[in-house]
Amino acid sequence: MKVALGQMQICWENKRVNLEKAERYLELSAERGTELFLLPEMSLTGFSMHTERTKESEQETIVQIQELAEKYRTAIGVGWVKDTGALCENHYSVVTPEGKMLDYAKLHPFRFAEETEYFRGGSSLPVLEYKGFWTGVQICYDLRFPEPFQILSKRADLIVVPANWPAVRSEHWKCLLKARAIENMVYVAGVNCAGKMGGAFYSGDSGVYAPDGTTLRTELIRLPGACGEEQVQLCEIENDVSRRRERFPVKEDRREDLYRKLQKETQEL
């Protein structure tokens, strides 16, 4: 499967401008045979806590993305804000040309940036089968919590991690993406935003990590006038997860019952 990581500089809280830029990259990616085009977390707004401006009650972004998926014959991953009342949810959806959809709500709102004041955490780990891959999603701060990755990896071959992860913690981002790929023996695709936005700087550092932790080689696409960090990375991935796990069966040595027992004993201390 040919995957494109849309490492965009997001125009702050401007859905129209960001959608137009995403489509320009989509068109260039589609010409190169892309089958899965991934955008960062909160793709069309940036990591804004102004939910009164960004929230959606009618899935407007999904409707527009579905049209683009059909037009360019590629699945598209997009982040958006769902209106759920007093607190919103930080969503990421993967929409296929055929209309199938994975819709995930971020489990762990980022308390450090006061996301917990405006967003509630999700409670499910959906997966989607597409082009021979079972795919799951974790969003940005979720990357710091390994347990959901272990649960997802029981079904998923590929875990997508869209983010707005600032450059000041870029080493954490790269280290954790690699670790999640290795410890779960899955492909992990991290797609971050780029450039200056909302008072922060984002270095991008997107990449696809193989189950052994190696970073896949990519072809780059850039638009004229884009900031230095903005780019789309194209790479090809083969679903060899089962074969890798058979050769190195670390997953078979996990002791889930023991872990639960130890956790219970610790809580009772």
Side-chain angles (χ1 to χ4, degrees), residues 159-174:
I159 300 177
V160 176
V161 187
N164 276 211
W165 195 290
V168 68
R169 291 183 290 278
S170 64
E171 289 305 313
H172 295 187
W173 164 251
K174 291 180 285 188

Side-chain angles (χ1 to χ4, degrees), residues 250-265:
V250 63
K251 299 285 277 187
E252 295 179 19
D253 293 325
R254 286 186 56 80
R255 300 179 65 186
E256 303 284 353
D257 291 341
L258 175 62
Y259 305 152
R260 285 190 288 270
K261 175 178 176 291
L262 294 173
Q263 183 178 23
K264 182 178 180 181
E265 290 176 354

Side-chain angles (χ1 to χ4, degrees), residues 47-195:
F47 191 64
S48 169
M49 297 300 103
H50 299 144
T51 53
E52 73 281 1
R53 303 176 194 170
T54 63
K55 65 184 179 181
E56 301 179 7
S57 56
E58 302 297 329
Q59 298 191 4
E60 299 93 328
T61 292
I62 298 303
V63 171
Q64 293 169 314
I65 291 297
Q66 177 67 59
E67 293 173 356
L68 294 179
E70 293 173 3
K71 179 178 180 179
Y72 295 104
R73 303 306 302 166
T74 181
I76 302 171
V78 65
W80 57 288
V81 175
K82 184 174 182 178
D83 184 358
T84 53
L87 295 176
C88 292
E89 289 178 344
N90 183 344
H91 276 242
Y92 196 85
S93 300
V94 179
V95 184
T96 74
E98 297 76 28
K100 290 194 299 182
M101 188 174 82
L102 177 157
D103 184 40
Y104 167 74
K106 187 177 184 179
L107 297 186
H108 306 94
F110 189 31
R111 186 179 305 277
F112 183 78
E114 299 183 344
E115 189 178 6
T116 49
E117 300 296 315
Y118 304 93
F119 292 84
R120 68 183 187 186
S123 58
S124 65
L125 292 170
V127 293
L128 171 71
E129 195 281 325
Y130 179 70
K131 299 294 181 181
F133 281 81
W134 283 98
T135 301
V137 174
Q138 292 284 274
I139 298 176
C140 200
Y141 189 48
D142 287 337
L143 184 60
R144 293 185 179 272
F145 302 89
E147 293 89 350
F149 282 83
Q150 285 290 346
I151 296 167
L152 268 177
S153 68
K154 292 177 180 179
R155 293 188 65 194
D157 313 299
L158 167 66
I159 300 177
V160 176
V161 187
N164 276 211
W165 195 290
V168 68
R169 291 183 290 278
S170 64
E171 289 305 313
H172 295 187
W173 164 251
K174 291 180 285 188
C175 178
L176 290 169
L177 287 172
K178 186 172 185 176
R180 297 293 168 261
I182 293 170
E183 67 194 9
N184 293 286
M185 298 198 77
V186 293
Y187 285 90
V188 174
V191 54
N192 196 16
C193 55

Side-chain angles (χ1 to χ4, degrees), residues 19 39 84 197 217 230 237:
L19 188 65
L39 289 165
T84 53
M197 291 173 289
R217 296 182 63 179
E230 181 175 284
I237 57 176

